[in-house]
Each structure stands twice: as structure tokens, then as C-alpha cells.
Amino acid sequence: MDGTFTLEFARSADSLYALAASPDFARDGLCFAACRSGLYRSQDGGASWRLLRASSEPVTTALALSPAFADDRSIFAAVKGGVLRSSDAGDNWFTAGFPAPPPVFSSLLASPDFERDGFILAATLEDGVFSSTDRGLRWQPWNFGLFDLAALSLAMSPAWTVDETVYVGTETGLYQSANGGRAWRHSGFSSELAPVLCLATATSQAGGDMKIFAGTETQGLHLSCDGGESWERLAADAMPDAVNQLHLAQDEGGAASLYALTNDGVMQSDDEGRSWRQIIRVDGAATAMLPLCGVIFLGIQGKGVMRLPRN
């Protein structure tokens, strides 16, 4: 496995939980890494890193940046029992606490229209989904109809500003909401395929319809083209078991590629998930992936963050 380790862990037992980057990464080079040892920031495209917050407990487990980060500089970091918010790219932090017992967060997701609506969701491992409509200052549980509170992953419709559709993957299946998470219903995703570890949505280049991708713990990758009512399995031979993360990324020309993090490495599809090729094979456990313009960051258990060229 060729590449450059840009952030090496101080302790071999350290782990990386999440990666995030500025929407304008190609220009500003800002990216963030949430590790067991703390929260790090790079301002030079991952060449060097600065520790922003040291942590033994609580550990940062999820990150999210505002889509309007270039203007509002807002970043969110989930720790056990609360969500940290910064409005200056991580120099200063404010904590929004949650009622006891403290929830453990699995995912954070800001609205594509965050600059206007200030809306952000948080998924937790035992307490379902929380939402904030005031840019992370106050949070409330939104679990009506969500019968499985072990929430593992989140995704919003590409047409969020119109349809307010959001999805949450759980230990037992996949739920969807047509009113921004205020009420949930079970989708057509079979519970036999769960848990749903990761989700991604994209607009089909052919017809403009939404595609939903769901990565599972033991049953590979699945696709729905009808809003989650019916599903088909993709690339069963290439991804026979766990799909741990999904990311949609565009190149400089605007063409979109879908990336999947498996137990063996990173897979890439350039045709909306129909065919896949392995672009990175890992020696060890890969815990997080972030494809960006011209580069892929990959977290390796006990080693750090690798920066590799993106094809």
C-alpha cells in the first residue's frame, strides 16, 4: 500500500473515528480528523496537523461541517453527552449538552441549506435521532415512528429544500422521513439485510431521480431508485460483506464518483454504482475514508491518516 502518512498516532492504540473537510478544500486546504487522542486540524491539505482538543474521555466520534463553511466557518464535533460547535473553524468551541444518560453519537449531518435553515441532525447508538434548528445551540429528540433507536447512519435527499426527505440506518433496518425527521416510517429495506452502517444519496444523471445507497455490516451494498421502497444488491462479488462508509465526490470537471470503504480497502464506481474497481488495498483495519479533489484520506487503525492521490 503506497502513500504518505500525514498524521501519525502518538500511541499505537489510538484510533480515528471521523474525517471532514472544507467544501472549498481545493482552495483552503482545511480538513479535520477525530481521533481517540483528540481532534486535529490541518490547514495545508493534510501535510501537517495541529491538535485542537486533547481528549481521553469523552472521545470525538463524529464530525460535520456547514455546507456554507467558507462564510460561516461552522464545524460540529460529537462527543459523549454533547455536541461541540465552533464558528471559527475550530479555534474556539461551545458545548450543547444533552440530558442524562449521555448519548453516544454515531453520525452528524447538516442540511444542504444550512446557511438558511440552520438545521442539523445527530444519530445516537441508543437514543435515536436528535435535531437542531438553531445551528446546534439547542437539540431535541425526533423519534416519532422510529422503533429502533440504535441509529447508525444518516442521509438527506439531494432535493432536501423541496422534499425534506431524510433517511436513518439502524441496527434493524432503514427508516425514512418526508418532513425533516419529525416523523419516521420503515422503508422497504429488509431487516434481514441490517444493520445499515452507511448511507449515500445522489441524483441520477440519466433521469434526475434520486438514488439511495445503503452499506450493510454483512450483506454488502444495496441500491434503491424509488425512494427506498424496493432494493437491489450491487457488486456482490466485489463487496461480499461489510461496507463501512460511502462517499460521493466530484472531480474538477464535475463528474461524480462513488467510493465505498470495505474491510479490504477502497472501492470506486464511476457509473452510479453499477460497476466497481478496487483502488486502494489496505494492510490493517481502515476506520475512515474521505475522498476529496485530487486526494483520498484514509484512517488506518493504530497508524494514522494516509494521504493518497485520487484517480
Side-chain angles (χ1 to χ4, degrees):
M1 180 174 59
D2 296 327
T4 303
F5 281 97
T6 60
L7 170 58
E8 294 184 359
F9 291 146
R11 301 185 302 273
S12 60
D14 207 347
S15 300
L16 185 140
Y17 294 99
L19 291 163
S22 162
D24 201 18
F25 174 82
R27 182 186 63 83
D28 59 31
L30 272 171
C31 45
F32 300 84
C35 307
R36 181 177 295 276
S37 58
L39 180 60
Y40 295 81
R41 179 181 66 192
S42 174
Q43 296 177 279
D44 54 12
S48 62
W49 296 78
R50 171 193 169 198
L51 180 63
L52 296 179
R53 294 177 62 94
S55 64
S56 54
E57 185 70 29
V59 176
T60 306
T61 55
L63 295 170
L65 269 68
S66 162
F69 180 83
D71 297 318
D72 62 29
R73 314 300 280 174
S74 291
I75 177 173
F76 301 88
V79 298
K80 186 176 182 180
V83 174
L84 308 177
R85 178 184 183 274
S86 173
S87 57
D88 55 13
D91 289 332
N92 297 282
W93 295 87
F94 304 91
T95 304
F98 286 68
V104 177
F105 296 91
S106 57
S107 181
L108 292 172
L109 183 62
S111 156
D113 200 24
F114 182 82
E115 186 175 19
R116 182 187 63 84
D117 60 27
F119 184 74
I120 183 169
L121 289 173
T124 71
L125 296 182
E126 295 180 342
D127 301 285
V129 176
F130 289 82
S131 70
S132 172
T133 57
D134 56 7
R135 292 170 167 76
L137 296 178
R138 292 177 295 271
W139 295 80
Q140 54 277 329
W142 274 7
N143 293 322
F144 180 77
L146 186 64
F147 299 115
D148 182 358
L149 300 184
L152 306 176
S153 52
L154 293 166
M156 290 181 180
S157 163
W160 163 264
T161 56
V162 177
D163 59 28
E164 290 192 327
T165 298
V166 60
Y167 300 88
V168 57
T170 73
E171 284 280 356
T172 59
L174 179 65
Y175 289 79
Q176 60 191 75
S177 170
N179 57 5
R182 290 182 290 277
W184 300 91
R185 69 177 183 87
H186 203 282
S187 77
F189 194 83
S190 172
S191 60
E192 296 180 356
L193 303 175
V196 180
L197 301 183
C198 53
L199 293 166
T201 60
T203 301
S204 172
Q205 296 178 1
D209 297 328
M210 177 176 61
K211 291 191 171 187
I212 311 167
F213 299 90
T216 68
E217 186 175 61
T218 62
Q219 301 296 320
L221 181 64
H222 300 260
L223 167 68
S224 174
C225 297
D226 58 7
E229 297 305 315
S230 62
W231 294 82
E232 63 175 303
R233 185 164 183 177
L234 301 177
D237 292 336
M239 291 178 279
D241 39 50
V243 177
N244 301 305
Q245 286 189 1
L246 290 166
H247 284 282
L248 189 69
Q250 290 185 318
D251 61 23
E252 294 180 353
S257 295
L258 184 63
Y259 295 83
L261 181 65
T262 72
N263 292 338
D264 296 324
V266 178
M267 307 289 294
Q268 178 178 340
S269 173
D270 299 319
D271 57 4
E272 300 181 343
R274 290 299 173 186
S275 62
W276 293 82
R277 59 191 176 94
Q278 187 168 44
I279 59 171
I280 300 173
R281 183 175 294 276
V282 297
D283 299 320
T287 58
M289 164 191 68
L290 183 63
L292 298 166
C293 183
V295 66
I296 294 178
F297 289 100
L298 192 63
I300 307 295
Q301 174 72 30
K303 294 183 178 180
V305 181
M306 292 188 69
R307 185 180 63 178
L308 302 116
R310 178 183 149 200
N311 297 334

